[in-house]
Amino acid sequence: MWTPCMALRLRSRYLFTSLHRVSSIHHHQLLRQMSMEAKTSVARLSDSSLLKTQGLIGGKWTNAYDGKTIEVQNPATGDVIANVPCMGMKETADAISSAYSTFSSWSKLTASERSKLLRKWYDLIITHKEDLALLITLEQGKPLKEALGEVMYGASFIEFFAEEAKRVYGDIIPATLADRRIFVLKQPVGVVGAISPWNFPLAMITRKVGPALASGCTAIIKPSEFTPLTALAAAELALRAGIPPGVLNVVMGNASEIGDALLSSTQVRKLTFTGSTAVGKKLMAGCAGTVKKVSLELGGNAPCIVFDDAEIDVAVKGSLAAKFRNSGQTCVCANRILVQEGIYDEFANAFSKAVQNLQVGNGLVEGVMQGPLINEAAIKKVEKFVQDATSKGAQILLGGKRHSLGMTFYEPTVLSNVNNEMLISREEVFGPVAPLLPFKTEEDAIRIANDTNAGLAAYIFTKSITRSWHVSEALEYGLVGVNEGLISTEVAPFGGVKQSGLGREGSKYGMDEFLELKYICLGNMKNE
């Protein structure tokens, strides 16, 4: 049966096949399929050819083999931005074959050659940063200014690893016998499967793909079905930068089929994933079948500890940034704000006033600081957590319900008198809700903070250098911010302990995740 969706797929296939074949006439044909608001938003793209609606396999833009598509919606309006392929096992198998066949030639390029290509990719990302930010806001919902910050952050990983490509050093080990020489080489692991989440549709990709390509690996990217457009635009810029076809592939759609194809393939030698702990455990188990290397950046339950000697203004500003960035939808968001009893009331009042000033709305509107949650399931989860907390004695100081804007907007919320047994203290709320927990002593704070299976990020606010060292060392977390709420950077290792994951991303340590050590022993090295 011929349907409007089929017509849209045909138009999309023709409109966005390549940069050189896109025209303003075709662009207007796509716009006619959208609501007036969606038309206006997409028309703001300076380079309309960055709006790709096909997967990328072997350098070719490709539809799903069975013609199926999925809608990409703007969470702030509900508008359909585009239809993209709903790919599965067969498309992923072809993407793997493409990456595998390209690996030999890519890995044999000199580090300097790979570095120059990555640098060109970085330059193109920066050149098109406004368009990339617009795509992020349209499909993910975060405010445009924040989206632009993500683009710069994401680009920094490509720049950093372009430089780090030239610093993959081996080693020479003093031999135990006079006629032997012992060498250690670092070589790329091979084909990499990279599964990224919806909350940072660019940065979570570049943080994985940057070191993979720099080390000589090829990759298959599986972006979230909620936010594929940013990934596709980044891949288009990679092609423009001269990164060879097949080095970078993008498939999206049926998550279980794509995941199974990556897990079962013996040609995929490494899996890197950012997402929930539950899915991470399944992927880790699946990697056992072919004994793949695996990196997992999973869920968190970040404590933010405010001691009574903290500067209130610094603590409020830092806690606000740690909690409400991306409307609370980050794995390093402050999930529990622990405040020492001596300043609890003062901090609660100052913090609530700051939260009250957060403007909620469509991320394209000037001055908006809080966008929507990603979907209805996300907002229902927030409602469940708040209801659980209030039913057990927590008090709502601010917010506590859906926003009058409707859709998936939720009021920035502050809860007081929260205890560590409430659901909101045990699991990630992943929304704009800040629970305040009182504590008495430093020992109490450490005990409460560590009473979780998660171990990704933690924050401390204190003027005591001694306390900042003692508490940082005692906290069972991979990242600790002291008097600062925004600590992620490309030059430092990012990752967790306990059930928050395995491995590290970013920094020189991030390169090691995509490299294998090879020991070479040269024998019979006798003088002639």
Side-chain angles (χ1 to χ4, degrees), residues 57 62-68 85-87 89-92 94-95:
I57 300 175
T62 307
N63 291 316
Y65 296 162
D66 61 5
K68 291 181 180 179
C86 184
M87 294 174 158
M89 188 79 70
K90 293 180 180 179
E91 295 89 346
T92 307
D94 286 349

Side-chain angles (χ1 to χ4, degrees), residues 280-511:
K281 289 178 179 179
K282 292 179 181 179
L283 293 174
M284 187 176 178
C287 285
T290 53
V291 195
K292 300 186 198 301
K293 288 190 72 170
V294 59
S295 297
L296 301 172
E297 195 261 284
L298 307 178
N301 187 4
C304 179
I305 306 172
V306 183
F307 289 99
D308 56 11
D309 66 344
E311 292 187 23
I312 296 293
D313 290 346
V314 172
V316 167
K317 181 180 178 182
S319 301
L320 196 73
K323 172 66 255 184
F324 289 98
R325 183 166 61 114
N326 199 17
S327 298
Q329 299 174 114
T330 89
C331 52
V332 293
C333 272
N335 202 56
R336 300 166 291 160
I337 301 178
L338 283 57
V339 186
Q340 202 158 13
E341 288 181 342
I343 61 165
Y344 183 87
D345 290 337
E346 182 183 2
F347 177 87
N349 290 332
F351 185 73
S352 296
K353 288 180 181 178
V355 174
Q356 197 166 17
N357 292 327
L358 296 176
Q359 183 177 337
V360 180
N362 189 321
L364 298 178
V365 176
E366 184 71 26
V368 165
M369 301 176 70
Q370 295 285 283
L373 299 187
I374 189 65
N375 55 27
E376 183 66 19
I379 201 167
K380 285 183 176 179
K381 179 182 179 182
V382 171
E383 289 178 321
K384 175 185 175 182
F385 279 38
V386 171
Q387 193 279 328
D388 174 82
T390 55
S391 70
K392 295 175 181 176
Q395 297 177 347
I396 297 175
L397 296 183
L398 188 70
K401 62 183 184 297
R402 294 190 184 221
H403 199 279
S404 58
L405 288 170
M407 297 300 296
T408 56
F409 290 96
Y410 195 87
E411 294 180 346
T413 297
V414 182
L415 303 178
S416 68
N417 296 326
V418 175
N419 62 55
N420 212 37
E421 302 306 314
M422 295 175 182
L423 189 59
I424 202 166
S425 297
R426 309 307 304 171
E427 300 177 22
E428 278 186 299
V429 65
F430 234 63
V433 180
L436 305 183
L437 291 75
F439 71 90
K440 293 183 179 181
T441 67
E442 181 179 303
E443 291 73 22
D444 289 336
I446 294 170
R447 174 181 53 78
I448 295 170
N450 287 339
D451 184 20
T452 174
N453 289 327
L456 187 56
Y459 307 91
I460 306 166
F461 290 91
T462 176
K463 287 188 285 189
S464 169
I465 297 297
T466 301
R467 170 175 279 165
S468 67
W469 271 109
H470 288 166
V471 177
S472 293
E473 291 173 349
L475 289 172
E476 297 170 351
Y477 292 84
L479 316 169
V480 179
V482 180
N483 295 323
E484 180 56 63
L486 300 176
I487 61 176
S488 298
T489 170
E490 75 277 12
V491 302
F494 187 103
V497 299
K498 297 196 285 189
Q499 294 188 30
S500 283
L502 301 169
R504 293 295 182 269
E505 294 183 334
S507 81
K508 64 177 183 179
Y509 303 104
M511 285 289 285

Side-chain angles (χ1 to χ4, degrees), residues 32 78 108 171 227 235 239-240 255 279 287 345 396 430 505 514:
R32 281 200 294 269
K108 288 177 181 176
D171 206 355
T227 57
L239 290 177
R240 294 186 195 179
V279 174
C287 285
D345 290 337
I396 297 175
F430 234 63
E505 294 183 334
F514 299 91

Side-chain angles (χ1 to χ4, degrees), residues 158-170:
I158 302 301
E159 181 185 35
F160 180 86
F161 287 110
E163 299 162 349
E164 205 65 17
K166 297 178 286 187
R167 303 186 183 101
V168 180
Y169 304 135

